[in-house]
Amino acid sequence: MRVAGYGRVDRARKLRFRFDGRSYAGFAGDTLASALLANDVRLVARSFKYHRPRGVMTAGSEEPNALVEIGRGAAKLPNVRATVQELYDGLYAESQNRWPSLAVDMLAVNALAAPFLGAGFYYKTFMWPPSFWEKVYEPAIRRAAGLGRFSREADPARQEKAFVSCDVLVIGAGPAGLMAAQVAAAAGADVLLVDEGTAPGGRLLAEDEAVGGKAGHRWAASLAEGLAALPNVRILTRTAVTGAYDGGTYGALERVAEHVAERGDAPGVCFWRIDARVAVLATGALERPIAFPGNDRPGVMMASAIRSYLHRWGVVGGRRVALYTANDAARRTARDLAASGVEVAAVIDPRAEAPPLVGVDAPLLAGGRIVATSGRLGLTGLTVKTGSQTHRIAADVLALSGGWNPSVHLACHMGGRPVWDEALGAFRAPEPGAPGAVPGLLPAGAAAGIWDTSGCLASGRAAGAAALERIGRAATEMDLPEAESEPGSQTVVFQTPGRGRAWLDFQNDVTVKDVQLSAREGFASVEHMKRYTTQGMAPDQGKNSNVGALAVLADVTGRTIPETGTTTFRPPYVPLPLGAIGAGAEGKGFAPERFTTSHAASRARGTPMIEAGLWYRPSFFPAPGETTWREACDREVTMVRGAVGVADVSTLGKIEFHGPDTGALLDLVYTSRMSTLKPGRVRYGIMLREDGHVMDDGTTARLADDHWVMTTTTAAAGQVMAHLDMVQQCHAPRLRTRFTSTTDGWAQFSIAGPKAATLLDALLDGGHDAAAVPFMACGAVQVAGVAARLFRISFSGEHAYEIAVPARYGASLWRLLVAYAEGLGGGPYGMEALNVLRIEKGFPTHAELHGRTTAYDLGLQRMLSPKKDFIGKAGASRVGLLDPGRERLVGLRPVAAQGRLLAGAHLFAPGARPVRTEDQGYITSACYSPTLGHDIALGFAVAGPDRLGERLKMVDHLRKCTTEVEICDPVFLDPDGERARA
Amino acid sequence: MPDLVADTPSERGATKVDAASLSVLAYTPMHLLAPFPGGSEAMAAALTEAYGVRLPAPGESLSADGAELRWAGRDQALLLGPDAPAPALHTHGAVTDVSDVYLRLMLTGPSEAADILARLVPIDLRPLRFASGATAKTLLGHISAQVTARADGVEIMVMRSFWQSAFHEIETAMTRVAGRAALPPD
């Protein structure tokens, strides 16, 4: 219900929303949780395992119970904490993990079976038979236990990732964080202040206390406003820092537009990668519950959350509130409720010498402990024992406070362990500089175990100054505002005894008994206990329960809390949607696309593209009437062999060298001598890795005396460039040569076929004389006045050229080439035909240069110059790499003309069983040769070149195909190269 | 008689979202200068002689009459403007025509550009940290890029084959940033 005169929601702006099909109203400024409580909706969820009725327990991201699904259809977001979800008009929310409804949940029968569903239940019960786990048990368990459901559709929401850098990152904008930010900002540092909440202020937004002579929330708002106006301060609200990483990097999740009905183009969330020189951890503290029987009913809430709901949203979750705490400060809850006119049923204080209540007209049960609660779908009453007396108290809300846990999670993300402070009764962040502590992360305020506002302000100021010192700036003097300075005394209480199940981890349904059972069964280490009971897992990561659970474990194992230790804190601090981490990578965002200059023209012909690395290359160019790729491919091959074909080969890497010592560098990287190449000539070469295996092959042209251009394969362009950089910097730093990639600068096209020279004659300014440009020559030409490069090289075995023009002319030249070729009975050809043409000629590609083959394996041993050194020479000379019995390159043809050859298939002796141990080799490239009229293949066979004419059995286990093959020379066509030289 | 027409992405790609606008810059002759070992001083002298500028230090771009010198990696600089660089440069190092290797995109609005590119570029491009004239080789999403601060925004240079992807990435970021700005205030 709403409390008149309380809360800062905008009561003039009414918002409609739906929860589980029913329509409700709230106000602007509400969270879903506050709006539900205002509507007296107490039952909002069913628990994970036992399907116990649960209600809102906290007012922040640590909420273990009130998880809901927001939205519908593919955009539905599961496991949203109702305490974090801001209300907007038309919000659609549904509860989770219940069937058919929250009030009548059939799966609550699980609770009857509770004695059997304790810790380790799965491990004990579903051990046999093993195959039943995946098929029967797991699906059944997943249906009955769990949290939200996936829609299983692609998420239509668009998220965002972003980077931000700063001098000082302040995590948390409560009193400590605000002071730290102010000190850092005053000294001129570049400050980033980040807070999970909707506005700066932290606890000041939720308390009735004055700072600097005004209401705490007003003080915070005016300070934040002043900071936001400074040019060196940025404030990110609705942003939770999720992790601390190396080098001052922090991850943070910003809820950008999850609080509005119409997002427009805004992302739902943004994942920030923060680069900070130094950071202040002002993350505050989380109040911890107390374990006692029946402590999980809807209506049982944290005492601080009750104050938050009262002061921020003007909401109380019931009409009669009882308070259970051994902590003076938590009595504020009773004080504030009483002041607002809400009835306080009783204050139950486990301390026998509890101080008297001041200003609250309610019974104080000193030395009391709650032994039972009642109310099926919501709290109705408590049973309290004081000594031998039993009291029954009617209450529909119970406020709990077992003290506070500093939020030290981030400080432990790099392996540091929190330190138990006996006086504080809590774990503190590892000291800065301690092993595993996050370097440059300075705890302040409640995160450092300081409970009073005045102390937090002072701590924040000191942390701001310490942060400045780390970045070499001096802090200026700054006065502290007046604020409350009484932290109050407390006795640490984690559990109070009683019969019945007492919950520790509300989200995972872990009770005191489960932890005790775990210890009894030998899982006494805290990490084992976590895995055995599942305590501390799931979206809340044990924010409420970790310390309580280990205190119980310490108790049952007879150890102290520091001896028991904590489980490991890992990122992310709050649930991080995969859509945020992967933002921008959906669909084509997965990888950039590289387009050739002929791309648009190829697409206009309906050409299917294939991906070669990031490049898109035409697969084939379908002609009217063709229904399969093979028809197009066969036609294109025949066209090149019979007339002329043109293809875009711009994707091959081009590396341009200048300098008098270029030949010397090339001699080092290529196996054969390049320095003797004459200007105007081209030479084929291979380069090796240090281990003697082939890295890449290609042609290098000497355009002028000190100007060379190297061609790499498309696949290895980047690798070769990196290799050359390494060679120059490490092996040849003094050579007078420099190089750069010009791959993208030149559109290069192959013109291949007996009519290639005729085409060039029409294309080139001044015509073309084939006799003047012999095979493996290169030179400068002009096309329509544009300077171009002509190379007479052939990857098809035909009389062929490659012509290169500056890329801006590529699209135009391609259209011209296609038109000329078609005029000569030819046309464009794609990658499929290009592949067939080169297999017919036995030219290797990276199918053969696959990283495990040597020059010897490829039959290129004669290219390893004995007269000079080159990279990989020693490696390639190792005896094992020159063993004739190695799998070496051969051609293969089917014995029967119609026999199929398949790439990837393996070779076996005709009579051998087709198993691994009998393997004789494998096929790397295969195709149907329209020129020869049957399938052909390249592959590697044991001692292959010594076995020409032998027959083997090709077996493709995947495609179920067996073919008898004959080993032959890898060059199927024109072995003397007469066509290319014609 | 054949005729070749230069492709002009600068006339096709241009988009405006709120105060920011993204366009493809027109063709500009561009040469990569890379002095041979020990040749830096001589090349710098030749540059001063020809254009009145020295070799830029890392992260720096320098302007002169009709030419811009832009740091482009270890011992490398880009010379933008002249069709044919001064012949004296060739004797001291490699001078490679890279006019068509790169395309340059311009995102105008200095603070808007920094805000938009923060979605894609890991370095801090706010004018405060990346003042006009600063240049850096970095990433634009998955794409290698060189960014240069201008008085009116940030220039992004990518390899030509990537330009459509780069344009699309930036355009998407512009839309998201504008979408944020259009959200109702608290």
Side-chain angles (χ1 to χ4, degrees):
Chain A
M1 63 173 191
R2 295 276 178 195
V3 182
Y6 276 75
R8 296 189 295 278
V9 292
D10 183 354
R11 296 192 191 218
R13 279 174 60 207
K14 205 170 181 180
L15 306 175
R16 310 293 307 180
F17 70 101
R18 294 184 85 81
F19 177 67
D20 275 354
R22 280 192 59 182
S23 184
Y24 299 96
F27 296 118
D30 263 324
T31 62
L32 176 59
S34 70
L36 286 170
L37 289 173
N39 283 284
D40 295 325
V41 179
R42 305 169 71 200
L43 172 63
V44 297
R46 286 280 178 167
S47 74
F48 184 71
K49 203 156 72 171
Y50 304 124
H51 292 259
R52 298 265 299 182
R54 291 284 168 80
V56 174
M57 195 168 171
T58 72
S61 67
E62 71 276 24
E63 174 63 28
N65 288 343
L67 304 185
V68 296
E69 291 170 348
I70 301 290
R72 284 183 252 210
K76 185 172 71 178
L77 198 59
N79 298 340
V80 176
R81 289 138 298 162
T83 50
V84 172
Q85 177 64 53
E86 293 168 61
L87 203 64
Y88 54 80
D89 202 45
L91 180 132
Y92 183 91
E94 278 195 84
S95 57
Q96 307 182 153
N97 199 32
R98 81 286 184 271
W99 185 86
S101 74
L102 267 182
V104 186
D105 181 0
M106 303 304 279
L107 297 166
V109 293
N110 275 8
L112 300 177
F116 309 104
L117 287 172
F121 161 70
Y122 300 164
Y123 308 125
K124 294 170 192 166
T125 313
F126 300 114
M127 289 176 64
W128 187 91
S131 64
F132 267 44
W133 175 253
E134 267 180 39
K135 289 176 190 149
V136 181
Y137 299 141
E138 196 183 7
I141 293 168
R142 291 239 178 266
R143 229 182 347 267
L147 300 167
R149 292 154 298 175
F150 275 125
S151 69
R152 295 190 178 275
E153 291 169 60
D155 184 1
R158 286 291 169 258
Q159 318 299 6
E160 186 180 61
K161 280 199 288 195
F163 298 93
V164 59
S165 302
C166 60
D167 289 333
V168 181
L169 166 67
V170 180
I171 309 168
L178 284 169
M179 277 312 289
Q182 197 185 21
V183 168
D190 187 19
V191 176
L192 180 67
L193 176 61
V194 176
D195 193 274
E196 229 188 337
T198 55
R203 274 310 296 172
L204 294 177
L205 303 178
E207 300 288 359
D208 175 19
E209 67 173 72
V211 178
K214 45 185 158 183
H217 69 91
R218 288 194 200 284
W219 176 83
S222 68
L223 179 60
E225 202 178 314
L227 285 173
L230 297 176
N232 57 324
V233 177
R234 285 164 294 170
I235 302 179
L236 280 175
T237 53
R238 298 188 175 94
T239 305
V241 174
T242 55
Y245 305 92
D246 287 332
T249 303
Y250 295 85
L253 180 73
E254 180 189 8
R255 306 185 309 279
V256 180
E258 291 194 329
H259 62 291
V260 295
E262 298 296 333
R263 289 182 193 176
D265 288 324
V269 295
C270 176
F271 183 60
W272 289 93
R273 282 156 290 178
I274 303 170
D275 165 34
R277 294 174 67 194
V278 62
V280 175
L281 180 79
T283 43
L286 296 174
E287 199 166 32
R288 54 190 182 218
I290 301 171
F292 59 88
N295 64 341
D296 72 328
R297 295 188 196 279
V300 178
M301 298 174 73
M302 303 314 304
S304 60
I306 289 173
R307 297 199 297 280
S308 300
Y309 285 110
L310 179 67
H311 295 304
R312 288 193 69 171
W313 295 288
V315 166
V316 174
R319 273 142 191 89
R320 270 175 64 84
V321 183
L323 174 65
Y324 190 31
T325 182
N327 178 348
D328 290 355
R331 289 186 176 187
R332 280 179 175 208
T333 302
R335 178 198 74 186
D336 293 357
L337 286 171
S340 75
V342 174
E343 187 181 353
V344 178
V347 174
I348 304 137
D349 195 324
R351 294 175 292 185
E353 295 86 29
L357 280 182
V358 181
V360 180
D361 182 22
L364 170 69
L365 301 176
R369 57 187 169 97
I370 302 177
V371 294
T373 63
S374 59
R376 199 176 68 85
L377 297 178
L379 187 72
T380 53
L382 316 165
T383 308
V384 179
K385 282 204 167 160
T386 50
S388 57
Q389 273 188 299
T390 302
H391 312 259
R392 298 206 193 280
I393 297 160
D396 51 6
V397 176
L398 175 62
L400 288 187
S401 178
W404 294 81
N405 292 325
S407 294
V408 300
H409 309 66
L410 293 167
C412 303
H413 276 179
M414 293 174 77
R417 293 285 171 172
V419 184
W420 178 255
D421 184 325
E422 191 64 43
L424 199 64
F427 280 101
R428 289 223 299 223
E431 289 296 320
V438 176
L441 179 62
L442 312 171
I450 294 159
W451 304 141
D452 64 302
T453 307
S454 181
C456 285
L457 292 165
S459 166
R461 183 177 66 176
L468 286 172
E469 197 185 324
R470 290 200 176 222
I471 57 169
R473 281 180 189 265
T476 49
E477 287 287 310
M478 192 165 291
D479 291 335
L480 287 178
E482 281 285 304
E484 294 197 16
S485 59
E486 181 48 63
S489 76
Q490 62 162 343
T491 301
V492 175
V493 177
F494 291 107
Q495 56 171 329
T496 55
R499 287 166 52 86
R501 283 180 293 163
W503 266 263
L504 284 166
D505 184 336
F506 297 84
Q507 192 154 88
N508 288 296
D509 263 349
V510 178
T511 64
V512 169
K513 273 185 189 160
D514 290 324
V515 173
Q516 290 166 341
L517 179 72
S518 167
R520 266 207 314 280
E521 297 194 337
F523 298 95
S525 137
V526 68
E527 296 282 9
H528 286 152
M529 181 275 288
K530 170 177 177 170
R531 278 135 189 99
Y532 201 58
T533 61
T534 71
Q535 181 276 319
M537 298 184 179
D540 82 337
Q541 287 288 294
K543 288 189 180 66
N544 313 69
S545 65
N546 275 346
V547 178
L550 75 90
V552 169
L553 185 66
D555 191 42
V556 66
T557 54
R559 292 173 296 183
T560 63
I561 287 176
E563 278 168 355
T564 306
T566 59
T567 51
T568 309
F569 294 106
R570 294 189 182 89
Y573 175 71
V574 292
L576 193 52
L578 287 175
I581 299 172
E586 63 278 341
K588 287 192 168 183
F590 174 69
E593 297 169 304
R594 297 183 80 175
F595 294 132
T596 61
T597 57
S598 66
H599 187 81
S602 297
R603 295 293 289 155
R605 280 176 167 255
T607 301
M609 305 304 274
I610 61 167
E611 290 174 45
L614 299 176
W615 287 103
Y616 286 75
R617 304 188 71 179
S619 183
F620 55 93
F621 293 84
E626 286 173 348
T627 53
T628 66
W629 70 271
R630 260 289 303 282
E631 287 175 79
C633 176
D634 290 355
R635 173 182 51 75
E636 288 171 16
V637 171
T638 309
M639 174 186 88
V640 172
R641 297 266 181 246
V644 62
V646 291
D648 193 328
V649 293
S650 310
T651 62
L652 274 75
K654 300 171 209 74
I655 300 170
E656 225 162 304
F657 295 76
H658 284 276
D661 295 340
T662 302
L665 182 75
L666 296 178
D667 280 351
L668 195 54
V669 293
Y670 276 120
T671 61
S672 48
R673 197 175 287 283
M674 281 290 171
S675 51
T676 52
L677 187 66
K678 301 233 170 340
R681 301 292 295 179
V682 184
R683 192 169 283 173
Y684 174 77
I686 55 173
M687 53 181 84
L688 308 185
R689 300 190 309 239
E690 285 286 8
D691 66 3
H693 291 74
V694 178
M695 174 191 284
D696 198 39
D697 73 342
T699 57
T700 286
R702 190 168 191 174
L703 299 174
D705 197 44
D706 65 347
H707 185 193
W708 309 58
V709 59
M710 171 192 287
T711 305
T712 75
T713 58
T714 301
Q719 186 189 3
V720 170
M721 191 69 194
H723 178 65
L724 288 170
D725 274 333
M726 186 280 289
V727 172
Q728 191 196 32
Q729 291 175 31
C730 302
H731 297 317
R734 279 181 285 276
L735 289 183
R736 289 164 60 81
T737 177
R738 301 301 302 271
F739 52 86
T740 189
S741 165
T742 54
T743 305
D744 288 45
W746 295 88
Q748 192 153 325
F749 305 104
S750 162
I751 304 162
K755 293 185 182 170
T758 315
L759 190 157
L760 276 184
D761 192 39
L763 180 76
L764 300 183
D765 297 355
H768 172 66
D769 175 9
V773 185
F775 185 56
M776 299 304 263
C778 66
V781 293
Q782 282 206 340
V783 181
V786 173
R789 295 170 179 174
L790 186 70
F791 308 87
R792 183 155 172 206
I793 52 180
S794 176
F795 196 49
S796 58
E798 294 303 319
H799 183 131
Y801 303 85
E802 288 187 10
I803 186 165
V805 290
R808 64 187 186 280
Y809 295 108
S812 186
L813 178 59
W814 172 253
R815 285 192 293 272
L816 216 54
L817 286 173
V818 170
Y820 278 44
E822 286 176 341
L824 294 168
Y829 65 99
M831 291 295 288
E832 297 297 346
L834 187 144
N835 197 39
V836 172
L837 290 163
R838 69 97 192 167
I839 296 173
E840 287 179 341
K841 281 295 295 172
F843 292 141
T845 65
H846 275 283
E848 285 74 37
L849 316 181
H850 56 46
R852 295 183 293 121
T853 48
T854 63
Y856 178 70
D857 299 338
L858 291 158
L860 300 173
Q861 182 70 6
R862 64 191 155 72
M863 291 189 69
L864 308 187
S865 169
K867 295 179 192 159
K868 65 169 188 93
D869 196 13
F870 55 85
I871 288 170
K873 187 172 191 175
S877 314
R878 287 178 291 168
V879 217
L881 296 188
L882 298 168
D883 179 353
R886 285 177 65 83
E887 290 169 340
R888 291 150 66 199
L889 183 71
V890 290
L892 296 160
R893 59 170 166 247
V895 171
Q898 70 280 18
R900 297 297 318 279
L901 299 185
L902 297 166
H906 279 247
L907 305 171
F908 304 91
R913 284 198 311 134
V915 294
R916 183 182 54 79
T917 46
E918 300 290 331
D919 198 283
Q920 289 279 307
Y922 54 94
I923 292 182
T924 49
S925 303
C927 67
Y928 171 76
S929 164
T931 317
L932 301 172
H934 58 78
D935 278 13
I936 55 172
L938 299 176
F940 292 84
V942 170
D946 304 332
R947 299 164 72 185
L948 298 185
E950 260 186 54
R951 288 184 178 185
L952 290 173
K953 179 170 65 175
M954 180 211 84
V955 180
D956 187 321
H957 287 292
L958 290 176
R959 284 164 286 197
K960 307 277 182 243
C961 177
T962 301
T963 306
E964 197 185 358
V965 299
E966 185 186 305
I967 302 178
C968 60
D969 190 88
V971 184
F972 293 91
L973 197 73
D974 186 23
D976 299 326
E978 281 167 14
R979 287 165 177 250
R981 288 187 174 78
Chain B
M1 191 59 196
D3 186 27
L4 285 188
V5 187
D7 191 21
T8 50
S10 57
E11 286 163 22
R12 275 188 281 142
T15 188
K16 195 166 157 43
V17 179
D18 287 358
S21 74
L22 177 68
S23 57
V24 182
L25 293 179
Y27 171 82
T28 302
M30 220 186 308
H31 289 79
L32 184 75
L33 312 182
F36 296 135
S40 296
E41 279 178 27
M43 186 177 265
L47 271 174
T48 311
E49 171 77 25
Y51 305 107
V53 282
R54 55 186 164 82
L55 273 173
E60 185 183 57
S61 79
L62 306 165
S63 288
D65 289 342
E68 185 198 327
L69 255 292
R70 188 183 294 183
W71 177 81
R74 174 185 160 272
D75 278 349
Q76 294 171 83
L78 278 173
L79 172 65
L80 291 94
D83 266 317
L89 294 171
H90 293 262
T91 48
H92 308 296
V95 179
T96 311
D97 186 348
V98 291
S99 310
D100 284 68
V101 175
Y102 302 103
L103 262 187
R104 299 179 303 140
L105 309 179
M106 184 66 204
L107 183 59
T108 55
S111 67
E112 289 86 354
D115 204 18
I116 291 159
L117 292 176
R119 273 69 203 164
L120 298 164
V121 179
I123 61 174
D124 193 351
L125 297 181
R126 289 176 298 160
L128 151 88
R129 294 291 171 91
F130 196 69
S132 181
T135 192
K137 300 195 98 172
T138 179
L139 285 172
L140 179 93
H142 296 292
I143 303 168
S144 289
Q146 179 159 359
V147 291
T148 306
R150 299 270 172 234
D152 59 340
V154 176
E155 185 204 298
I156 306 105
M157 188 173 86
V158 295
M159 285 194 280
R160 187 186 188 98
S161 61
F162 283 105
W163 86 263
Q164 285 104 323
S165 278
F167 194 97
H168 177 74
E169 293 269 356
I170 299 171
E171 199 175 22
T172 305
M174 290 167 80
T175 311
R176 297 269 183 279
V177 169
R180 274 175 180 259
L183 287 175
D186 278 328

